[in-house]
Amino acid sequence: MPPLIAIVGRPNVGKSTLFNRLAGKGLAIVHDAPGVTRDRHYADTHLFGRDLVLVDTGGFDPDSDDPMQQGIARQVELAIREADVVLCVLDATLAPTAADRETVGLLRRSEKPVVYVANKADNPRAELESNELYALGVERVVPISALHGRGLAELEAALAKVVPPEEAIEPPSDDAPPRVALVGRPNAGKSSLFNWLAGSARSLVDHRPGTTRDAIDQRVEHGGHAFTIVDTAGIRRKSRVDRGVEAESVMRSIKAVGRADVVILMCDAAEGVAEQDARLLTLCAERGRAIVVGLNKVDLLRTRKERDAAEERARDELRFARWAPIVRTSAKTGEGIDDLMQTAWRAAEEYRRRVPTGELNRFFEQVLSTHPPPTHGGRAPRIYYVTQAETSPPVFVAMSNAPESIKDSYKRFVVGQLRKAFGFESVPVMVRYRRKSRREPG
């Protein structure tokens, strides 16, 4: 999991504007009215050569009697607790307030590394006014303008000094048991499957959603293969996530996805695949995990026609990731579990698979001879060679004379051909196109 940076501060100091600026996209709602952000928002970003996770929080006002504000305060405290670094946003145009002092006091007690910024320093005069914030007793305040991008280089330099150093992580050996995370909405059958595989009732199983609060690991053997199975808390839509313990459980589930090789997305066949299931699959794919969809509770569907219809509906809802295999299961009766785990094992093999460069380029020569990139924008793009840059997940690099002229439709075609030729059926496949000038023979 990349280092996590929590952005905190009192209402209306520009936290969401800074979050969007650092994330490079408009993810948080930005409005002049205080209190717009209520829940925590997460975004992956890349700053000063490091992958990071940003957390935007609601305005911190612990003295407010408003129940909504009290709930936001608990969310802020949770974000600080799980953060590696805290980015405290102050208003450069105003003198320190009581809420600012409360925020600084909370951060001192947390003993987390903190970078203090004075936002809204849109001009030299506002930057000079920000010196009043030193009355809070902080060592340094970095003046910035999140709206205009002013001072962000200084902010990144300050963050680089306090973000934990990168750990040297040994890549897993080919014979290391793959980590398989069980994710899904509450009551989809994750814990029942976990207990079936573990051979004991280690996870509490209850018909009420939200029983599992933490990620639980178990080494198991199934079908002659060893796995590390991770049971996780059910993830509901953010609007339905309770403040406090459940919100923290959801974050742990997301972290479990980031540590997994394979994700089994458990869906309820009887209830039907929902929009939240599609969101979870997108989350897993964006983090580059191998994915298997477990269409669970098929024992509640009496006829083959009902089961076929449930699978067809699932494929339609998850059509943006048609490459993810769907396996019908019943964690209650054990039906389909052997097939599910064999599919998970193949997915782990694909996740770690490396295609030799010679074999890869012979394949591409054949593809290019029959389906070369079409002319686009008056240019005829050519691909000179392809190599596999990474495994876990597979990432390929294609060198081209005009990568910007290669159409998205052709890029999708290339990914489809890679899947077909080398069996990448359960993993997201990425092909990066880079520029290379073709040298004329001398």
Side-chain angles (χ1 to χ4, degrees):
M1 189 76 179
L4 192 148
I5 299 177
I7 302 176
V8 305
R10 63 178 173 81
N12 208 31
V13 293
K15 296 183 299 298
S16 293
T17 304
L18 180 58
F19 174 85
N20 290 341
R21 172 70 69 171
L22 294 177
K25 44 196 168 186
L27 297 173
I29 300 172
V30 179
H31 195 278
D32 287 339
V36 173
T37 302
R38 297 178 180 178
D39 297 303
R40 290 175 286 171
H41 298 161
Y42 295 86
D44 298 321
T45 192
H46 190 81
L47 300 173
F48 51 86
R50 296 286 302 276
D51 290 325
L52 304 167
V53 177
L54 299 175
V55 187
D56 185 25
T57 64
F60 184 67
D61 188 5
D63 294 330
S64 173
D65 295 330
D66 183 358
M68 178 66 72
Q69 283 294 329
Q70 292 172 359
I72 290 174
R74 289 193 294 272
Q75 287 284 303
V76 172
E77 291 170 0
L78 283 172
I80 293 171
R81 186 193 311 170
E82 68 190 24
D84 296 295
V85 174
V86 180
L87 187 53
C88 180
V89 184
L90 306 165
D91 191 328
T93 64
L94 297 175
T97 67
D100 290 329
R101 294 187 178 89
E102 286 284 345
T103 304
V104 172
L106 174 66
L107 294 175
R108 286 194 179 118
R109 292 190 296 273
S110 75
E111 299 183 348
K112 294 290 180 78
V114 183
V115 173
Y116 293 94
V117 299
N119 191 32
K120 305 183 185 180
D122 300 339
N123 52 60
R125 179 179 177 180
E127 183 174 335
L128 186 62
E129 290 175 351
S130 70
N131 288 329
E132 288 190 54
L133 297 171
Y134 281 99
L136 293 168
V138 299
E139 184 176 341
R140 184 190 178 195
V141 179
V142 181
I144 68 165
S145 171
L147 183 62
H148 302 293
R150 194 167 184 260
L152 291 188
E154 291 79 3
L155 171 57
E156 289 193 29
L159 285 171
K161 292 179 180 178
V162 294
V163 167
E166 289 186 277
E167 297 180 6
I169 300 175
E170 290 281 341
S173 61
D174 291 340
D175 57 354
R179 291 182 63 86
V180 179
L182 311 180
V183 304
R185 291 182 292 143
N187 206 30
K190 300 178 299 297
S191 295
S192 296
L193 175 60
F194 179 88
N195 290 338
W196 182 281
L197 295 171
S200 62
R202 185 174 176 194
S203 285
L204 179 61
V205 177
D206 194 292
H207 69 280
R208 293 167 296 180
T211 306
T212 302
R213 291 294 193 188
D214 209 346
I216 304 171
D217 293 16
Q218 176 71 48
R219 170 77 175 262
V220 305
E221 289 194 11
H222 192 91
H225 302 300
F227 302 88
T228 298
I229 305 296
V230 185
D231 187 20
T232 67
I235 304 177
R236 292 190 276 184
R237 289 205 313 272
K238 185 173 64 178
S239 61
R240 295 187 177 181
V241 173
D242 298 330
R243 307 192 190 284
V245 176
E246 187 178 359
E248 196 167 12
S249 299
V250 169
M251 185 57 195
R252 289 174 180 169
S253 297
I254 293 173
K255 287 183 177 181
V257 169
R259 293 193 302 267
D261 301 308
V262 181
V263 173
I264 295 180
L265 174 64
M266 297 291 284
C267 301
D268 190 322
E271 186 177 305
V273 173
E275 183 181 357
Q276 179 67 354
D277 295 314
R279 288 190 180 126
L280 290 174
L281 193 150
T282 300
L283 170 76
C284 299
E286 286 177 347
R287 279 157 175 75
R289 304 305 102 175
I291 300 170
V292 179
V293 178
L295 194 59
N296 195 36
K297 302 186 183 181
V298 294
D299 55 296
L300 300 180
L301 304 178
R302 301 299 182 186
T303 67
R304 181 174 180 176
K305 184 177 180 180
E306 288 178 322
R307 296 184 177 197
D308 289 345
E311 183 173 336
E312 188 60 33
R313 287 193 298 270
R315 292 191 184 281
D316 184 59
E317 289 292 333
L318 307 176
R319 59 188 176 276
F320 60 91
R322 294 188 184 277
W323 46 267
I326 297 177
V327 181
R328 304 177 191 182
T329 65
S330 170
K332 182 178 180 180
T333 67
E335 179 183 350
I337 290 180
D338 288 347
D339 188 17
L340 179 71
M341 298 313 296
Q342 285 295 332
T343 305
W345 179 260
R346 290 194 298 272
E349 290 182 318
E350 294 171 15
Y351 186 70
R352 300 173 177 178
R353 180 173 299 158
R354 180 174 292 279
V355 182
T357 300
E359 184 178 347
L360 187 60
N361 279 286
R362 284 192 295 273
F363 155 75
F364 258 92
E365 286 175 7
Q366 183 178 356
V367 171
L368 293 172
S369 65
T370 55
H371 295 86
T375 300
H376 180 61
R379 299 199 66 180
R382 302 190 65 176
I383 297 175
Y384 301 134
Y385 66 88
V386 180
T387 185
Q388 184 172 357
E390 300 174 25
T391 64
S392 307
V395 178
F396 300 89
V397 176
M399 304 305 295
S400 170
N401 66 326
E404 72 283 354
S405 297
I406 299 176
K407 294 182 177 181
D408 289 341
S409 58
Y410 189 79
K411 292 178 181 179
R412 290 192 294 269
F413 165 75
V414 168
V415 169
Q417 292 299 302
L418 281 168
R419 292 190 186 282
K420 184 177 179 180
F422 301 110
F424 293 112
E425 299 175 354
S426 308
V427 295
V429 175
M430 180 181 296
V431 181
R432 296 172 181 161
Y433 293 83
R434 294 181 180 171
R435 180 178 299 278
K436 179 183 184 298
S437 298
R438 187 175 186 181
R439 297 179 179 177
E440 296 294 334

